[in-house]
Amino acid sequence: MATTADLLADAFGRVREVVHDAVDGLTPGQLAFRPDSGSNSIAWLVWHLTRIQDDHVADVAGTWADRFGLPFAASATGYGHGSEAVAAVQVQPGELLTAYYDAVHEKTIRYVRGLSDADLDRVVDKAWDPPVTLAVRLVSVISDDLQHAGQAAYLRGLIERG
């Protein structure tokens, strides 16, 4: 990797690959599948990880929730969602979900490619001790996204096996 910006772009690109692998070709019913009522669905996991990235990085909030008629505020990211909220995330077709992810991903990549190493030291959230820098925020988003994308991939494996 030539720069830190390249490294960040690569990491976000890996999230995109896992998201598409988890979603592409599934039916709405498969996207909504939950092994039990306390579990998350692929649709909810991908919506949530995209909303976190959207909220924290790409700043395109407020357009997707209305397109799907979800019963959440446009600012909702999924934190604190219970079983009913998870069940409310229904996506038809799956391409709409990946299109939202791709739009956020494109904005994210444009943003991170423009960063210098010095930019990463900027404090973006003083509510924490120690305050959160841009570098820490971006790594946090990547970590959260990869965890949820992996969960979605696991669920896809369950669906395909059975």
Side-chain angles (χ1 to χ4, degrees):
M1 299 290 151
T3 67
T4 303
D6 292 336
L7 179 65
L8 291 167
D10 182 74
F12 280 110
R14 291 168 191 247
V15 174
R16 184 181 181 280
E17 289 173 15
V18 178
V19 164
H20 275 270
D21 286 348
V23 172
D24 289 349
L26 294 182
T27 66
Q30 290 170 320
L31 291 168
F33 168 74
R34 298 163 63 198
D36 64 48
S37 64
S39 301
N40 297 321
S41 66
I42 292 172
W44 186 89
L45 288 162
V46 172
W47 169 80
H48 169 65
L49 73 87
T50 306
R51 280 294 301 126
I52 292 299
Q53 187 172 329
D54 186 354
D55 181 63
H56 289 14
V57 181
D59 197 32
V60 293
T63 58
W64 187 78
D66 292 339
R67 284 174 49 193
F68 290 99
L70 295 177
F72 313 138
S75 61
T77 61
Y79 283 123
H81 275 184
S83 183
E84 286 183 24
V86 171
V89 179
Q90 301 286 320
V91 179
Q92 297 181 26
E95 290 82 15
L96 205 51
L97 187 58
T98 53
Y100 172 52
Y101 181 81
D102 288 345
V104 171
H105 176 76
E106 285 178 35
K107 288 183 180 275
T108 300
I109 295 304
R110 250 188 316 236
Y111 176 70
V112 299
R113 288 221 182 267
L115 294 174
S116 69
D117 287 352
D119 294 329
L120 298 172
D121 290 331
R122 179 172 55 89
V123 172
V124 296
D125 190 346
K126 294 180 182 178
W128 297 91
D129 185 18
V132 177
T133 64
L134 179 58
V136 168
R137 177 59 48 88
L138 292 172
V139 168
S140 176
V141 170
I142 292 165
S143 173
D144 186 67
D145 280 1
L146 282 173
Q147 288 179 58
H148 292 310
Q151 292 165 346
Y154 175 78
L155 285 173
R156 182 176 183 127
L158 290 178
I159 291 166
E160 289 176 343
R161 284 194 253 315

